[in-house]
Amino acid sequence: MLRGRKSSNIIEYRTRNGPFKDLHSVMNVPLLKHKTTAVVFNSILNPADRSERRKPKVQAVKFIKPQMERNRLEEASSVVSVVFGTNRIAWAHLERGRRVLEWQQEQCDRFLRGPYQASVYLEDISPVVAKIPEADFFILEKPGISLQNTNLFPIMLHLRTVEAMLYSLLGVRYQQDGQQRVLSMARTAVGKHFELMVGESRTSGAELVRQLLSDSVTQKHPRVAFPQSMVVRYRNMFQLGARNHREEMCDALLQALAFYELLAGD
């Protein structure tokens, strides 16, 4: 704060007038303002405070909202990734070693049927939240629908409502020492990580999930590990041409995996 002309003025003033008799006399030096002088004096008189100010800032993780300290995320034993659509809520419970602990979805048939009543959403989402396992953090997908497409406004309103309900219910159920545990992750961030973006749109990750399931039983060190029972259960469901509705499950798994890989800098 005393670089350049300010420091030169201090030396010149002291050379002409002799040593400073008190702190107030420093204010006579040209270009020195009261705020700058007070900060400098404090750093000299309280070196402990100065060292405290010079500690490196805690690095935040930008792909998570609200921003969270990296060390808190790195210490997490497991996370639950939650993805929701027009009539389903899916989640994937993944531990730090990238082993899948739980992976499933729930059907919500009353979504987008009739008027948008908060009570309906609460009645449908509360039982789902009761089934979601406990984890250190819950990662909600941040929908990527543009406000510019007015035809999709009802869908966007629905997704935002579900997001708000999940955020509130999970936060209340798993509140711990006032620490933030429910976070959001942009859908586009996951899409870019797995190269699933075509322009501004994200394509399906089902093919990648099929490959992850296959690698789990064929490779010694797979990218993500599934229990054998889970591989048998879901392998046929994700086969090409299979008639199923597992897109949210695919997205929930990829979001959890992207969280750990982005955090590790893979």
Side-chain angles (χ1 to χ4, degrees):
M1 298 185 71
L2 297 179
R3 294 175 180 171
R5 191 59 190 168
K6 292 179 182 178
S7 57
S8 298
N9 287 350
I10 291 175
I11 296 174
E12 292 174 3
Y13 185 91
R14 189 179 58 197
T15 301
R16 291 196 308 269
N17 301 284
F20 295 104
K21 297 180 179 179
D22 51 46
L23 298 179
H24 292 287
S25 62
V26 182
M27 294 299 299
N28 296 324
V29 177
L31 297 183
L32 282 190
K33 296 182 179 180
H34 181 271
K35 183 177 180 180
T36 300
T37 308
V39 172
V40 172
F41 287 169
N42 186 61
S43 68
I44 295 172
L45 299 174
N46 300 285
D49 294 344
R50 179 181 60 186
S51 62
E52 186 71 21
R53 286 196 303 274
R54 289 187 176 180
K55 285 184 178 180
K57 294 182 179 180
V58 177
Q59 185 179 8
V61 178
K62 294 182 179 180
F63 64 87
I64 287 293
K65 300 295 182 182
Q67 287 194 358
M68 184 68 56
E69 296 174 359
R70 177 176 289 274
N71 63 332
R72 276 197 64 199
L73 296 177
E74 290 176 341
E75 292 170 358
S77 298
S78 69
V79 298
V80 169
S81 166
V82 184
V83 172
F84 40 91
T86 56
N87 58 1
R88 283 178 292 273
I89 298 176
W91 64 90
H93 189 193
L94 201 67
E95 68 175 3
R96 189 189 305 172
R98 301 177 195 179
R99 184 171 68 92
V100 181
L101 303 177
E102 186 175 324
W103 187 29
Q104 58 180 297
Q105 69 179 18
E106 285 289 322
Q107 192 79 13
C108 301
D109 292 323
R110 291 196 296 176
F111 280 179
L112 285 177
R113 294 182 183 273
Y116 290 91
Q117 296 182 0
S119 59
V120 174
Y121 281 103
L122 185 61
E123 290 172 4
D124 284 355
I125 296 175
S126 294
V128 177
V129 170
K131 296 179 181 180
I132 294 178
E134 185 169 2
D136 293 296
F137 291 103
F138 302 89
I139 315 297
L140 303 184
E141 181 185 65
K142 177 67 70 175
I145 296 180
S146 173
L147 286 172
Q148 297 178 354
N149 191 337
T150 57
N151 293 328
L152 293 178
F153 181 77
I155 303 296
M156 184 201 67
L157 176 61
H158 160 75
L159 295 176
R160 294 301 189 195
T161 303
V162 175
E163 179 188 17
M165 285 278 183
L166 287 170
Y167 201 99
S168 177
L169 291 172
L170 286 168
V172 170
R173 184 182 180 197
Y174 294 115
Q175 189 173 10
Q176 185 181 52
D177 302 328
Q179 296 290 335
Q180 184 73 29
R181 299 181 67 189
V182 185
L183 310 172
S184 295
M185 190 169 176
R187 177 176 173 81
T188 53
V190 180
K192 290 176 182 178
H193 177 68
F194 291 113
E195 299 182 351
L196 297 175
M197 301 298 293
V198 176
E200 297 297 322
S201 301
R202 177 176 153 181
T203 60
S204 172
E207 183 177 351
L208 176 56
V209 168
R210 285 192 291 270
Q211 187 62 50
L212 293 173
L213 282 165
S214 176
D215 293 345
S216 181
V217 295
T218 60
Q219 295 187 3
K220 185 176 181 180
H221 300 290
R223 192 171 181 178
V224 58
F226 298 86
Q228 184 64 31
S229 59
M230 193 176 292
V231 174
V232 174
R233 179 183 177 186
Y234 290 122
R235 185 166 48 190
N236 293 333
M237 293 183 180
F238 291 107
Q239 290 302 317
L240 284 171
R243 187 178 181 83
N244 60 74
H245 304 283
R246 305 286 175 178
E247 198 65 40
E248 287 84 3
M249 285 188 65
C250 290
D251 292 347
L253 177 68
L254 293 179
Q255 181 172 258
L257 181 58
F259 168 82
Y260 279 113
E261 291 185 344
L262 287 170
L263 192 62
D266 291 355

